[in-house]
Amino acid sequence: MNEEELLSTLFALFPHAGKVTSGGTTFWFAAGDRRQMMPFLTLVTDDEHDAASNLRRPGVYRLNVGLSADEYRGRFGPPPHALGDGQTAVPGHDPAALDVLMPHPVYAALHWACVLNPSPATLARLTPLLQAAYDRARRRVRSGT
């Protein structure tokens, strides 16, 4: 699945979500046309904010999704402490591996996960997590938190 195919799939999954593209990143916000601080999903195509994933490889991109604390712990165990300046990647995970769900190399402490170049089968397995992230974000918008 290339980046354009994934974008098309994500746009179809979340037609009412707000989408903003800046540089090499597309951000999805549950509020649609209303501004929010945190997206529930991002697609990154460059190494601007971290180089651990080595996104400068041709055709490589990273899908990032915010998980609940329970979802994160159920998949990866306790999240790491916040990473320090210049520190990336979670020990025990290869942040440059393709088609593997793993803790985000920088935002794992905030319960974010990622996958580089997900296959259609991996995306199908991830769709419930993506939907849950969207639903959580919509609840936060409705509650004003």
Side-chain angles (χ1 to χ4, degrees):
M1 172 173 280
N2 67 34
E3 176 191 347
E4 289 305 317
E5 291 168 329
L6 180 59
L7 281 169
S8 178
T9 300
L10 294 173
F11 290 156
L13 279 172
F14 305 109
H16 302 293
K19 299 150 202 89
V20 175
T21 299
S22 177
T25 304
T26 301
F27 303 86
W28 278 262
F29 297 92
D33 62 352
R34 191 172 143 200
R35 306 238 339 127
Q36 284 178 273
M37 292 298 293
M38 284 293 293
F40 66 92
L41 179 67
T42 64
L43 182 76
V44 179
T45 62
D46 63 33
D47 286 333
E48 182 177 347
H49 299 290
D50 78 274
S53 300
N54 191 16
L55 298 180
R56 65 186 162 276
R57 293 175 285 169
V60 177
Y61 58 88
R62 186 179 65 229
L63 178 64
N64 307 307
V65 60
L67 305 179
S68 72
D70 288 340
E71 288 169 338
Y72 186 95
R73 279 196 251 351
R75 281 164 182 75
F76 310 117
H81 295 289
L83 298 172
D85 288 343
Q87 185 181 5
T88 60
V90 176
H93 298 275
D94 176 2
L98 302 178
D99 200 30
V100 176
L101 182 66
M102 67 186 98
H104 189 282
V106 174
Y107 300 114
L110 299 174
H111 307 122
W112 278 74
C114 65
V115 61
L116 278 64
N117 292 51
S119 66
T122 296
L123 184 61
R125 286 191 305 274
L126 292 178
T127 298
L129 289 176
L130 304 178
Q131 187 63 53
Y134 177 66
D135 293 344
R136 271 191 309 281
R138 295 229 351 127
R139 284 192 300 274
R140 283 193 304 268
V141 168
R142 282 194 298 269
S143 70
T145 60

